[in-house]
């Protein structure tokens, strides 16, 4: 597609439920990132994929958060046993890897998650 | 470590006023620097970038110069328009490895006619 797409655009869930957030990166982009934008924390990095592997998971806030990427394309961010503090906008970005240098990241519109 | 400190808002200006949003950074290496913009109801968009010292990024009348000596990347525009009302984020990446972005807290700009 022309840009990064994310689904759903909005998700309301009850505390304790699991949620899955999806990201479709720009075609051909090998790198994929998840960020979280929340009122208290600003924009924070969660996880990075290069191809299907995730060499950097340092930003995941707890073991309730996990992510996978298949076929070097679509990625899913899963939050288990959601808590109210998980409420935020979850942003996905993708970029090209040119040699050892990562190119500019392009962001999707985000998924707004509200945990009641 | 890497971090970005950005001028706190909100900032309210009249149309055609001069805009400066300050941004300073701390980095362990030689980062790339970015300004991203988030218009109301829309996602983050890259506004401009600079990848090395003394580079000037520019787009849509906005400019920012990568100043290594002052570790700054201030955003400027000579004459703002109502359509520039948005939240502006300064960010850096270390380019190698994960290259994840470190963001400032964002500055909300409102331009009034």
């Amino acid at each position: 597609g022309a840009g990064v797409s994310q689904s759903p655009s909005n998700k309301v869930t009850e505390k304790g439920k699991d949620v899955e957030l999806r990201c479709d990166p720009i075609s051909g982009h090998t790198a994929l990132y998840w960020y979280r934008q929340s009122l208290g924390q600003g924009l924070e990095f969660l996880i990075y994929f290069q191809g299907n592997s995730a060499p950097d998971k340092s930003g995941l806030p707890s073991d309730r958060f996990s992510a996978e990427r298949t076929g070097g394309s679509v990625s899913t961010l899963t939050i288990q046993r959601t808590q109210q503090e998980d409420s935020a906008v979850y942003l996905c970005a993708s970029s090209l890897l040119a040699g050892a240098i990562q190119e500019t990241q392009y962001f999707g519109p985000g998924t707004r998650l509200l945990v009641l | 470590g890497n971090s970005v400190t950005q001028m706190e808002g909100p900032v309210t200006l009249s149309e055609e006023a001069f805009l400066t949003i300050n941004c300073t950074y701390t980095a362990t290496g030689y980062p790339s620097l970015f300004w991203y913009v988030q218009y109301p109801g829309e996602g983050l968009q890259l506004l401009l970038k600079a990848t090395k010292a003394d580079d000037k990024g520019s787009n849509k009348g906005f400019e920012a110069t990568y100043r290594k000596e002052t570790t700054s990347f201030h955003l400027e525009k000579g004459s703002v328009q109502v359509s520039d009302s948005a939240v502006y984020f300064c960010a850096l990446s270390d380019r190698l490895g994960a290259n994840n972005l470190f963001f400032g807290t964002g500055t909300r700009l409102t331009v009034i006619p």
Side-chain angles (χ1 to χ4, degrees):
Chain A
V4 178
S5 60
Q6 292 185 246
S7 60
S9 54
N10 290 281
K11 176 72 177 178
V12 181
T13 190
E14 293 179 349
K15 178 181 172 181
K17 301 282 190 184
D18 297 352
V19 295
E20 283 190 354
L21 312 179
R22 177 188 167 106
C23 171
D24 281 274
I26 293 172
S27 178
H29 280 193
T30 53
L32 186 147
Y33 303 80
W34 284 97
Y35 294 87
R36 179 168 71 173
Q37 186 176 21
S38 55
L39 281 177
Q41 300 296 325
L43 266 160
E44 51 180 337
F45 166 74
L46 297 179
I47 189 169
Y48 153 71
F49 286 91
Q50 181 56 45
N52 290 335
S53 64
D56 189 353
K57 303 180 181 180
S58 61
L60 293 177
S62 78
D63 58 8
R64 296 186 295 104
F65 287 72
S66 63
E68 63 176 16
R69 189 180 185 195
T70 55
S73 182
V74 172
S75 176
T76 303
L77 177 69
T78 301
I79 309 172
Q80 296 178 306
R81 305 181 303 281
T82 52
Q83 303 294 312
Q84 289 180 332
E85 62 263 27
D86 299 335
S87 297
V89 177
Y90 289 82
L91 296 171
C92 177
S94 69
S95 69
L96 282 170
L97 174 63
I101 304 297
Q102 295 282 7
E103 298 295 325
T104 300
Q105 293 178 34
Y106 294 90
F107 283 79
T111 293
R112 187 175 299 274
L113 174 66
L114 178 61
V115 182
L116 300 176
Chain B
N2 296 319
S3 67
V4 174
T5 301
Q6 185 174 343
M7 173 177 150
E8 288 192 23
V11 174
T12 302
L13 295 174
S14 297
E15 207 165 20
E16 299 183 3
F18 183 85
L19 169 71
T20 299
I21 301 178
N22 289 339
C23 172
T24 56
Y25 67 90
T26 302
T28 52
Y30 301 93
S32 291
L33 301 174
F34 305 83
W35 278 99
Y36 279 83
V37 59
Q38 191 170 32
Y39 296 104
E42 298 185 17
L44 273 174
Q45 302 175 24
L46 177 67
L47 179 60
L48 54 83
K49 69 176 183 179
T51 57
K52 62 183 188 296
D54 300 325
D55 269 2
K56 177 185 283 187
S58 61
N59 186 25
K60 300 182 180 180
F62 291 88
E63 292 183 340
T65 300
Y66 189 141
R67 300 285 188 205
K68 189 166 181 289
E69 63 275 15
T70 54
T71 61
S72 65
F73 194 55
H74 304 321
L75 182 68
E76 296 183 336
K77 186 173 185 181
S79 176
V80 293
Q81 305 300 311
V82 172
S83 57
D84 294 327
S85 298
V87 181
Y88 293 82
F89 293 90
C90 186
L92 72 81
S93 71
D94 59 15
R95 292 191 289 170
L96 299 179
N99 196 49
N100 55 286
L101 290 163
F102 295 85
F103 286 91
T105 52
T107 302
R108 181 177 298 279
L109 170 67
T110 301
V111 181
I112 54 178

